[in-house]
Amino acid sequence: GDSVTQMEGPVTLSEEAFLTINCTYTATGYPSLFWYVQYPGEGLQLLLKATKADDKGSNKGFEATYRKETTSFHLEKGSVQVSDSAVYFCALSDPSYGGSQGNLIFGKGTKLSVKP
Amino acid sequence: GAVVSQHPSWVICKSGTSVKIECRSLDFQATTMFWYRQFPKQSLMLMATSNEGSKATYEQGVEKDKFLINHASLTLSTLTVTSAHPEDSSFYICSASGGTGGTDTQYFGPGTRLTVL
């Protein structure tokens, strides 16, 4: 079945460091891919998404490119800030998957801590 | 836009009682709402999907008689945990789709932390 695998954390970086959080997926169809962020004490927020191969999603300095050949959707940011400290979830939505229409399959989440 | 609220944000109840959690889409009509459960330091697990006016579709292993879902309108869905027990203690999160992001984008509520004593 469909699944999402993302790098385990926690990840600790200094401010202005480069960030990469790896995410790979398996899917039976042609999924849409998402990154969600969960700040401490808050719900998940959509960070960016891509709906087809080679699409690049970007928001708040973060970006991720839908790579069908490597089944990956790695999250990157060139210079992280303390305010980026949160848990990041990679997810996919596969309309051909036998689950509920539109439901998301999440990775386990990667906790990022950015130190000043 | 695309704001989803949940109420209450946290609740403590005695074993055997029932608890209702509300999920509202504040600025859009949600064609579909989803209920998730999140255990500490783990990912979200989908419990059920509900469409307005229809019975909810439950994921395998989720007891439909224990977790009652009602989707009465395009802006409100409720999850009732019936006869709650300590093992039901968890973080419950709802989401809604149907806003400007389309049907494949979900907008999440802030979650409800349930503690059953």
Side-chain angles (χ1 to χ4, degrees), chain B residues 63-75:
Chain B
E63 298 177 63
K64 59 181 67 177
D65 293 332
K66 182 167 187 62
F67 298 99
L68 300 179
I69 292 171
N70 183 273
H71 194 158
S73 74
L74 285 171
T75 60

Side-chain angles (χ1 to χ4, degrees), chain A residues 36 46 49, chain B residues 1-4 25-34 74-75 95-108:
Chain A
Y36 282 86
L46 177 64
K49 72 174 187 177
Chain B
V3 179
V4 176
S25 56
L26 299 184
D27 52 2
F28 68 101
Q29 293 187 325
T31 51
T32 307
M33 285 186 166
F34 304 82
L74 285 171
T75 60
S95 70
S97 65
T100 55
T103 57
D104 70 345
T105 299
Q106 295 180 28
Y107 300 95
F108 285 79

Side-chain angles (χ1 to χ4, degrees), chain A residues 5-8 20-24 35 73-75 90 110:
Chain A
T5 303
Q6 63 182 103
M7 63 187 287
E8 300 217 4
T20 299
I21 301 178
N22 290 336
C23 172
T24 57
W35 276 100
F73 194 55
H74 304 321
L75 182 68
C90 184
T110 303

